[in-house]
Amino acid sequence: MKLGILISGRGSNMTAIVDAVQGDAIPGAEVAVVISDKPDAAGLEKARERGVKTVVIERAGRKRAEHDAEIGETLRANGVDIVCLAGYMRLLSPGFIRSFPNKIINIHPSLLPSFPGLDAQKQAFDHGVRITGCTVHFVNEDLDAGAIILQKAVEVADDDTAETLSARILEQEHGLYVEALRRIAEGNYRIEGRRVIFT
Ligand code: GRF
């Protein structure tokens, strides 16, 4: 399983995946390339330090479809079969998503379908929920709505702020993303509508 990881920022999920792959915690997986749409993404340096190939495909001033087409070409040129979104902050075009059917995976910092979109942790905090968490899911053409692979719950404490809650969710994200990829790499699953069934 050759992974291509898309980032826009600090890249802590990307780092967790790379470290797991390099530590043999995802048997059969290899990180072929990390792509950032931002030249100054902090995650780029973390990937390079780990000896992973990085490519910057700048989004500024480019049409989405054209930008995505270049990302797609780069992924294919590197033999990628699973695309991991890890804090990639630009919506992907329908054409790109269709060209990697059930091969794009994302992590979202809430228990979907609650709180899709931006600032999910703050949305959950402001709503007053007692339990939130994170979700690893396949990407389809609807925002944060593809088949759910794994979820992890995180309790909201009385003295939490949106920031402390986000930090506790992030800790769980790293393990959850790695576990989801480990299970996808094993290959024993099927997708039935919105459900991912491990066999
Ligand atoms: C994470 O909270 C992830 O759930 C969301 O974007 C953030 C990325 O953080 N999709 P990082 O770049 O992986 O540290």
Side-chain angles (χ1 to χ4, degrees):
M1 182 168 86
K2 280 200 176 189
L3 304 175
I5 308 178
L6 269 52
I7 64 168
S8 299
R10 77 190 152 190
S12 72
N13 279 287
M14 175 275 296
T15 306
I17 294 166
V18 169
D19 289 348
V21 166
Q22 294 184 343
D24 257 343
I26 311 179
E30 178 189 330
V31 180
V33 64
V34 169
I35 299 175
S36 174
D37 63 336
K38 301 254 181 68
D40 57 352
L44 284 168
E45 190 49 38
K46 296 178 194 164
R48 289 186 199 116
E49 279 166 8
R50 288 165 172 77
V52 175
K53 176 174 180 181
T54 61
V55 178
V56 174
I57 302 177
E58 238 186 301
R59 77 187 246 185
R62 300 182 67 187
K63 290 218 168 71
R64 191 191 311 279
E66 176 202 319
H67 183 238
D68 285 359
E70 188 177 341
I71 293 174
E73 281 160 27
T74 304
L75 290 167
R76 275 182 275 273
N78 284 278
V80 167
D81 37 47
I82 291 281
V83 182
C84 300
L85 307 184
Y88 183 70
M89 297 307 287
R90 188 175 211 191
L91 284 177
L92 291 164
S93 52
F96 179 91
I97 294 170
R98 280 197 295 269
S99 70
F100 288 95
N102 293 329
K103 299 289 180 201
I104 310 174
I105 297 175
N106 182 42
I107 186 148
H108 182 78
S110 74
L111 293 177
L112 290 170
S114 292
F115 312 118
L118 289 176
D119 291 327
Q121 307 96 323
K122 186 168 185 309
Q123 289 185 53
F125 182 79
D126 289 348
H127 194 94
V129 296
R130 306 305 320 214
I131 298 172
T132 181
C134 44
T135 303
V136 179
H137 64 95
F138 285 109
V139 172
N140 66 14
E141 291 175 43
D142 300 320
L143 180 66
D144 297 330
I148 289 172
I149 302 170
L150 290 179
Q151 293 186 298
K152 179 89 180 181
V154 173
E155 283 191 29
V156 182
D158 287 337
D159 60 355
D160 260 330
T161 61
E163 289 70 34
T164 59
L165 179 61
S166 299
R168 285 210 315 292
I169 294 172
L170 187 65
E171 279 173 27
Q172 298 303 320
E173 289 181 34
H174 300 155
L176 194 73
Y177 214 156
V178 168
E179 176 63 9
L181 292 173
R182 194 183 64 72
R183 294 178 73 166
I184 296 298
E186 282 177 351
N188 304 320
Y189 66 94
R190 64 179 192 276
I191 303 172
E192 281 182 10
R194 228 180 256 290
R195 303 178 65 208
V196 177
I197 302 185
F198 290 98
T199 52

